[in-house]
Each structure stands twice: as structure tokens, then as C-alpha cells.
Amino acid sequence: MSRALIIGAGGVASVVVNKCCQNSDVFTDICIASRTKSKCDALKNKLDGGKTKITTAQVDADNVPELVALINEYKPDIVINVALPYQDLTIMDACLETKTDYLDTANYEPLDTAKFEYKWQWDYRERFEKAGITAVLGCGFDPGVTGVFSAYAMKHYFDEIHEIDILDCNGGDHGYPFATNFNPEINIREVSANGSYWENGNWVETEPMEIKRVYDFEEVGQKDMYLLHHEELESLAINIKGIKRIRFFMTFGESYLRHLKCLENVGMTSIEPIEFEGKQIVPLQFLKAVLPDPATLGPRTVGKTNIGCIYKGVKDGKEVTYYVYNVCDHQECYKEVGSQAISYTTGVPAMIGAAMVLTGKWKKPGVFNVEEFNPDPFMEELNRFGLPWKENFKPVLVD
Ligand code: NDP
């Protein structure tokens, strides 16, 4: 018997809502609230009539008093933030004021600085602890499942993990020369930034897309992948015992990279406001407006994703390698919930994380990254809710 307030009504939110309805023993009531209420109503109309009671609301998640008023009126047991990273702090403020548990899938990033870091959200630790409420940060796939995989590897297979390579492969094809699989603004900010990895206690910075490797992914095939900075590197570097190196690689096709370079070269990916016909506009936000909406890619995307982590370390004095990963089929996701696999692989873990808090398995006061909780019940739910995982104890390693 729990009530969840879901903020946002985009690609990821749509999967969260579908999955909460599939888990109606836990989610008896949900409220979908977003800036554009018609999108919340459209979701409700699609899914209404089952055991989970759905309501909708309009909210500006940049506005703390509006959020507080909505939370006080709806009285949720948890707020699931699947709006944008810019809203993380205002939503956390509202949760603090109303003593409500909180979960998100992406870490805070100021609108005018393309740099995401946990420091702003980790700053809330003491206040959440004092209020006796839980915040779960970064509970999508990566970050999210990658942290749960790491906690699981640590708990069951290693005394010390020395190296982690996170491999995010999207072998999907949507047929457009250029489109992004989730919010274009957030996606382009992420991939056009400098890369970095963690080694021997320091960050090593690279040019964007400077480090390239080729990997043969099960059920997808051989792909080019590039080293990126990614938010879970920051928390895993602190939370995984004995860690010496963590890297994150994401696959990109040639067409995507060629278009991105061209857009960068002409200034379209800039977040510096410019004057256009008497109005201030941000080029990247304008670009977002002309690109395909990721929520519309579902019907046309074919192929699979394969996301997982390769670990190297020791157990009982012996060297161990371990690869744990999930393969997800874009069209299967579309058939089940009407979304492509990127939204699916993010929305399913967000629902599971919220269920972990609501059922008391991940309930403790403070602000936490997912690898700080018991991974076992979460891993079981991944199998039950559409993201089964596979293990390989002799994986091909990335050089
Ligand atoms: P979308 O752009 O599809 O959806 C975002 C939603 O948030 C929209 O409904 C939007 O409303 C709403 N929103 C934006 N600003 C506000 C506001 N001020 N007040 C209320 N609502 C607002 O994004 P996605 O669904 O693709 O992504 C959602 C989140 O998931 C992002 O934070 C993204 O970074 C994260 N993500 C995490 C991944 C992971 O593996 N951890 C992977 C992919 C995404 P409107 O419709 O009016 O624009």
C-alpha cells in the first residue's frame, strides 16, 4: 500500500509509470506530475483501469513552494524524479521540507555549466539523515544498475576489485541520420564534454572521443566504443574497496559522430546564450527543438542494447575476472511498454529502486548511491521486471 509521486512525463517517466502499474502490489497509487499536464493525462489514459490508481497534476519542478504544495496535497511515500537533472535540487528541497523519500536517475547539473558532479547532492546527506528520510541517487541503468552490479560483484565474487570497465553498447538503429536516444540536450552535453577516467586515486582527463576501443558484444556484434566521463565513476571510486582504475565506454556509430562534429563546428551544441531576432536563445536548446523527440523513436528502433561491467580483482588471493551484463531488445520493449530500450533500461531500475525503498529493503536515513545498498533483492527484481542479467567469468578484457 504505497503512494508514489512521479515527476516528469517524458520517455523514462512513461516506462516508470508502466512498470509501477505492473508492480501494483507495491504501487497502489501513483500521481504523474509534470510541466505539461496533457502528457501526464495521455499516460494516465493509456494505463488507467488496472489495480494501480493513477492521478495527474501540473507542476513546475523548478519551483520549491509549488512542489511542496503538491506533495502536501498528494502525500506520497516517495517522489520519483524523472524530470531533468536541473530539477534535482529543488525536488530534494521539497522532499526535505515535507519529509518524503526521494529517488532520481541522473545527478544534478547547473543549467549554465555542462559539468555534472555529485557534490551538490551529497551536500544534503546530513539534512536527509536528520529528517530520517532516504534519497537514492542515480537509479537508472548507468548510473544505477552499474552500481548494483558493482555491489553484487563485491559481495559475492571479490575481496578487492581493482579495475572496472563499464561498457554501454547501443546496437539499435532508428533510421535517422542523427537523433539522440534520450533528452538531446542532456545527451549532447554529456558526449561533447572532455572524457575522463579514474586511475590510482586521480582523474585522468582526455579530449572528447580521444580513446577508442573495439569490442565484440554478445547479441550485438563488433562496435566502436569511446571513453567518456560518466557520473557513476565518481561514487564507485569512493565506494568500491581497493579500486585502482574505472573507465566508462559508450558505443557510437560513424554517422552520429560525423553529425555531432559538424554541429559542434558550427556552434549548434553551445550552451552560451546568443541574440537571435531580438531574443536570447541557447543554441543547444534550439537544436533540441529541431531534432526528433526521443519518445517518438520507439516504433522505428530495431536492434539491441548490451550494457554491463567487467571487473578484475582478487578473491582468496587468486585473480578473478567477472562480466555481468544485460541485453535488451528495442522492439520487445516497444511491444511491452511503447518505448525504446534506452528509456526502458532507465525506467525499470527507477521503479525497482523506488520499490526497494517502499518495501523497507533500501530504507535508511541519508543520501546514498545505489552501490551502498544490498544488491541482492534488486538483482532478483531485474530478472522479474524485464532486465535479466548474464554472467561470464572469462570475458574478453578491454586493453
Ligand atoms: P524527457 O526530456 O523525455 O522528459 C523529461 C520530462 O521532464 C518532460 O516530461 C518534461 O516536461 C519534464 N520537465 C522538464 N522540466 C520540468 C520542470 N521544470 N517541471 C516539471 N517537469 C519538467 O527526458 P527523458 O525521459 O529521456 O529523461 C529523464 C531523466 O532520465 C533525465 O534526467 C535523464 O538524464 C535521465 N536518464 C538517465 C539514464 C540512466 O541510465 N541513469 C539514461 C537516460 C536518461 P515537458 O514535457 O513539458 O518538456
Side-chain angles (χ1 to χ4, degrees):
M1 283 288 287
S2 302
R3 298 164 76 79
L5 172 62
I6 298 163
I7 302 187
V12 175
S14 154
V15 177
V16 172
V17 172
N18 267 277
K19 287 288 168 178
C20 288
C21 292
Q22 285 181 21
N23 197 3
S24 56
D25 286 346
V26 175
F27 298 91
T28 47
D29 298 81
I30 59 174
C31 173
I32 315 163
S34 191
R35 185 166 53 190
T36 314
K37 187 166 174 285
S38 57
K39 290 192 186 173
C40 310
D41 293 333
L43 276 174
K44 175 181 154 73
N45 291 341
K46 229 170 85 183
L47 288 156
D48 230 1
K51 269 169 72 188
T52 303
K53 187 161 176 269
I54 307 176
T55 51
T56 62
Q58 199 277 327
V59 74
D60 174 5
D62 290 320
N63 182 320
V64 180
E66 254 189 51
L67 286 164
V68 168
L70 176 62
I71 295 173
N72 280 335
E73 189 197 323
Y74 187 67
K75 298 195 173 35
D77 301 297
I78 192 165
V79 174
I80 304 175
N81 168 13
V82 276
L84 296 178
Y86 316 127
Q87 279 85 49
D88 287 1
L89 301 188
T90 44
I91 300 178
M92 286 178 84
D93 283 333
C95 283
L96 259 180
E97 204 172 319
T98 54
K99 292 202 174 21
T100 312
D101 293 333
Y102 169 89
L103 176 139
D104 68 32
T105 64
N107 71 6
Y108 176 69
E109 181 171 352
L111 199 52
D112 59 356
T113 324
K115 182 159 172 47
F116 45 84
E117 274 182 279
Y118 277 118
K119 69 172 185 205
W120 288 282
Q121 292 180 275
W122 284 346
D123 254 12
Y124 283 69
R125 276 176 179 148
E126 218 174 286
R127 282 173 283 163
F128 268 65
E129 242 173 70
K130 277 205 185 117
I133 52 173
T134 305
V136 180
L137 305 184
C139 198
F141 205 105
D142 44 340
V145 176
T146 51
V148 175
F149 281 170
S150 301
Y152 188 78
M154 195 68 221
K155 182 171 174 184
H156 297 284
Y157 301 125
F158 291 91
D159 293 326
E160 275 190 14
I161 291 176
H162 295 155
E163 293 178 15
I164 308 177
D165 278 330
I166 301 168
L167 310 188
D168 179 332
C169 164
N170 180 7
D173 182 5
H174 44 57
Y176 287 119
F178 186 83
T180 62
N181 295 295
F182 65 99
N183 185 287
E185 192 185 333
I186 306 295
N187 183 227
I188 290 173
R189 280 164 75 119
E190 179 177 290
V191 302
S192 53
N194 280 345
S196 78
Y197 60 98
W198 174 263
E199 191 165 50
N200 297 323
N202 295 303
W203 290 107
V204 182
E205 195 155 304
T206 70
E207 292 295 313
M209 311 290 169
E210 184 187 331
I211 298 184
K212 173 184 165 184
R213 296 285 185 271
V214 178
Y215 200 81
D216 197 0
F217 290 91
E218 191 185 302
E219 294 191 49
V220 176
Q222 199 156 295
K223 290 274 166 197
D224 294 342
M225 59 182 193
Y226 297 84
L227 186 140
L228 297 185
H229 177 62
H230 221 244
E231 56 200 68
E232 64 265 58
L233 303 190
E234 194 188 352
S235 68
L236 291 172
I238 294 170
N239 292 326
I240 299 298
K241 202 172 135 191
I243 193 75
K244 295 189 175 120
R245 188 181 73 186
I246 318 179
R247 302 181 297 184
F248 181 96
F249 292 92
M250 191 178 271
T251 62
F252 294 104
E254 250 183 67
S255 172
Y256 179 93
L257 291 178
R258 213 176 36 245
H259 280 78
L260 185 64
K261 191 84 231 150
C262 175
L263 291 166
E264 258 170 15
N265 285 344
V266 298
M268 280 306 297
T269 60
S270 168
I271 60 168
E272 288 301 319
I274 56 159
E275 183 90 8
F276 178 72
E277 294 187 344
K279 207 174 162 229
Q280 290 270 308
I281 64 162
V282 172
L284 181 57
Q285 286 172 2
F286 179 75
L287 175 62
K288 178 186 176 222
V290 297
L291 285 175
D293 177 353
T296 64
L297 297 179
R300 43 186 302 145
T301 307
V302 293
K304 293 177 182 179
T305 61
N306 177 331
I307 320 176
C309 306
I310 300 176
Y311 301 93
K312 246 177 96 177
V314 287
K315 176 82 176 172
D316 301 327
K318 287 200 195 94
E319 267 214 0
V320 177
T321 56
Y322 172 61
Y323 186 16
V324 53
Y325 57 95
N326 162 264
V327 176
C328 193
D329 185 303
H330 286 286
Q331 278 300 305
E332 293 293 316
C333 297
Y334 186 68
K335 268 186 233 143
E336 186 197 322
V337 299
S339 307
Q340 33 82 354
I342 306 300
S343 303
Y344 190 91
T345 53
T346 310
V348 171
M351 179 284 287
I352 296 174
M356 291 290 114
V357 176
L358 293 170
T359 55
K361 298 183 183 90
W362 280 18
K363 176 84 188 124
K364 53 184 178 181
V367 173
F368 302 97
N369 294 91
V370 290
E371 64 272 15
E372 296 177 85
F373 295 100
N374 178 9
D376 294 352
F378 194 107
M379 292 291 274
E380 277 169 31
E381 295 299 75
L382 283 174
N383 287 329
R384 190 156 82 99
F385 284 105
L387 294 178
W389 39 277
K390 293 186 188 170
E391 301 180 304
N392 177 354
F393 289 88
K394 284 205 175 100
V396 174
L397 302 178
V398 182
D399 61 13

